[in-house]
Amino acid sequence: MRDVAIIGAGMTDFGRLADDDLIDMMASASLRAMKDANLGDTPIDAVYAANMGAGILNRQTGIASALVDTLSLLPAPADTIENGPASGASAVKAGVLAVASGYYDFVLVVGGEKMRNVTGWRATDFVATLTHPYAEYIYGVTLPSMAGMFTRLYMEKYGITEEHLAMVAIKNQENGLLNPYAHIHMKIDMEGILHSPDAIVNNSYVAKPLRLFDCCPVTDGAAAVILCPADMAKKYRKNFVRIAGFGQATDTHTFAERDNPTDLKAVTLACDKAYKMAGITAKDIQLAELHDAFTILEIAESEHAGLFKKGEGAKALEAGITKINGSLPINPSGGLKSRGHPVGATGVAQIAEMTWQIRGDAGPRQVKKHDIGLTVNFGGFGNNVVAFVLRK
Amino acid sequence: MGKKMPDAYKCKQCGRVTYPKRVRCLNCKSTEFDAMPFSEYGNVVTFTQSYQLPWGIDEPYLTLGVIKFDNGVKTMGRISPPEISTGAKVKASWEKMRVIDGEDVYGWMFSPVNNG
């Protein structure tokens, strides 16, 4: 196995990109990553394209084939990777394995999703196709409603309050103000979203106890990275980033089948594998990009990843530890909450952000200690999780 | 799901109960299961009121929950009326949920039971 490096990263703006089709967005992110990698005439040996639902959302399949054509990368081998909302990190994993094996040298990994061309109802229905077709989907179960059920139990078990959830939203939207790629550029405060008489209107319930500002937006966007063997990386970029470790784990398809519904087992297993491969423990992590599709998930993942003890994630949040200037910043990008969640793009966007942070290129949202970071891409409702440890 | 109430399943080898049917037991990997009926009552594990519903559902909101039946099987379903709390006792019935692609689809409906 060869060590693998990230020598380039690129993203489109995340948001409502009405004028760009899915392939345009993915091509745009790819070109930015290729430019960032200073590739020059070096050919791309293979492409991994992450996308969850263009077949449903855009009536288009064979995404990787369309992408290599428009990018004039023919005849490079190209695969589309679908793994629900963890498609992005799964595609990076496929690329890393391909380079580590010695089979390919220069690999483009790009994730993209175009979701805003359908109504919110249709987008919600699309994401709900992740659930079990006749034990869950038929009831009208959505990902926010599963998250609502999880949140209720987590709040009861660990004494988490609506204020804690709102703190995640406020922090991540503050971080998002510093991220030019973010979908949501809006400062919010506790008074406006929770305590004022207007809060119930400003911040109505989506799936009790989760409110509007506890949920990530529906977003268009694409993100890309360029991988190559670490021993070739220096020629392209002095401050390349190393893939120190990765891990992936799965859990039951139906939420009801879990023995302990507040245990996100796959998060713990995926992170433990990534730490082991990197030769570190959770204590060594200096910053993290976690999958906060719902505010509760940032708190729960921070605990299941071992960054804080169970039940102490909310205390760390209260103490400001997870702010950009705290001792363990979480989601300096704004997270899914503010950057947005184009499902197939998210895992790649997390890794692109971590690449910039580790290089020290994150501009106003740069964290102080940035030698080693964790990303967690959470698929289904925690039934397929991919974690990465990146380092200087 | 059709009008007929489904069965749950019990692993012949280790006794683990499961729903819906799976190919191998999550506990012992056996492929042999006995069909078993759901029990009449259960308790609420967790629930939510969901206001942002997918395309194809006309209700303004739904109360959805995970219920543990008295015989140990756990499944998701709808709860009505919506006044409920975790741990509450519910009675299960198999009812029409919605129409998908022109067909009536049935599922579990749970109603709170007054313990008084």
Side-chain angles (χ1 to χ4, degrees), chain A residues 272-309:
Chain A
D272 283 351
K273 283 182 200 170
Y275 298 151
K276 193 177 174 195
M277 182 172 168
I280 63 161
T281 68
K283 287 195 180 72
D284 298 310
I285 295 296
Q286 295 175 340
L287 76 152
E289 282 284 314
L290 303 182
H291 193 111
D292 58 331
F294 307 101
T295 47
I296 188 69
L297 286 180
E298 179 174 305
I299 298 170
E301 288 169 21
S302 72
E303 296 171 0
H304 285 82
L307 303 178
F308 306 111
K309 286 184 187 147

Side-chain angles (χ1 to χ4, degrees), chain B residues 100-115:
Chain B
I100 298 178
D101 294 337
E103 304 226 353
D104 289 351
V105 176
Y106 288 72
W108 287 113
M109 178 65 84
F110 302 100
S111 308
V113 174
N114 187 346
N115 289 318

Side-chain angles (χ1 to χ4, degrees), chain B residues 44-102:
Chain B
V44 177
V45 176
T46 184
F47 67 100
T48 182
Q49 270 88 29
S50 181
Y51 295 85
Q52 202 170 347
L53 296 166
W55 181 81
I57 291 179
D58 295 331
E59 285 86 343
Y61 75 98
L62 289 173
T63 303
L64 301 162
V66 174
I67 272 61
K68 185 172 186 179
F69 284 80
D70 290 347
N71 61 2
V73 184
K74 287 192 288 182
T75 184
M76 221 169 249
R78 292 187 187 171
I79 298 170
S80 180
E83 292 76 24
I84 197 80
S85 58
T86 54
K89 188 172 181 182
V90 290
K91 186 175 185 345
S93 56
W94 187 250
E95 293 181 16
K96 183 181 159 184
M97 291 289 128
R98 62 194 282 198
V99 176
I100 298 178
D101 294 337

Side-chain angles (χ1 to χ4, degrees), chain A residues 87-127:
Chain A
S87 299
S90 275
V92 175
K93 190 191 85 172
V96 168
L97 287 170
V99 174
S101 75
Y103 199 84
Y104 298 131
D105 287 335
F106 292 87
V107 165
L108 162 66
V109 183
V110 51
E113 206 78 53
K114 186 166 175 65
M115 310 178 76
R116 296 296 300 241
N117 55 321
V118 299
T119 63
W121 290 358
R122 290 274 189 187
T124 300
D125 184 58
F126 154 66
V127 181

Side-chain angles (χ1 to χ4, degrees), chain A residues 83-87 130 143 258 266 291 377-386:
Chain A
N83 185 23
S87 299
L130 281 166
L143 270 288
R258 294 180 197 166
H291 193 111
N377 194 190
F378 183 93
F381 196 78
N383 64 20
N384 204 324
V385 177
V386 186

